[in-house]
Amino acid sequence: VKALLNTGQAMFKQANRRVGTGTLNRVLRDAVAAHPPAQRENRTPKIFFATQIDVAPPTVVLFVNRPSLFDAPYQRYLMKVF
């Protein structure tokens, strides 16, 4: 029982951890380099930076040039990366 409680506490601490903007942006840069977004409407989608705004649940906001340029499959790809 004691090991189970320790594991639960460790998971709670990890779930309430905040990730820095620099770390998020490095992960985002690597993800975009591995799989860049496709052009739509003759425009190139750009992601400027990411930041975490909440910890429970973890919420990450991306600042982009035009949200409509990012289709649902690419959004799912980025969610899996984070």
Side-chain angles (χ1 to χ4, degrees), residues 19-35:
V19 179
T21 301
T23 303
L24 287 174
N25 287 324
R26 280 189 289 279
V27 170
L28 181 62
R29 182 184 62 227
D30 294 343
V32 170
H35 184 68

Side-chain angles (χ1 to χ4, degrees), residues 15 17-21 24 50-61:
R17 195 173 134 226
R18 185 170 292 276
V19 179
T21 301
L24 287 174
T51 187
Q52 184 178 1
I53 61 169
D54 202 4
V55 292
T59 307
V60 175
V61 175

Side-chain angles (χ1 to χ4, degrees), residues 5-17 55-56:
L5 288 175
N6 288 340
T7 302
Q9 287 176 339
M11 290 175 65
F12 179 77
K13 286 179 184 178
Q14 187 176 11
N16 287 312
R17 195 173 134 226
V55 292

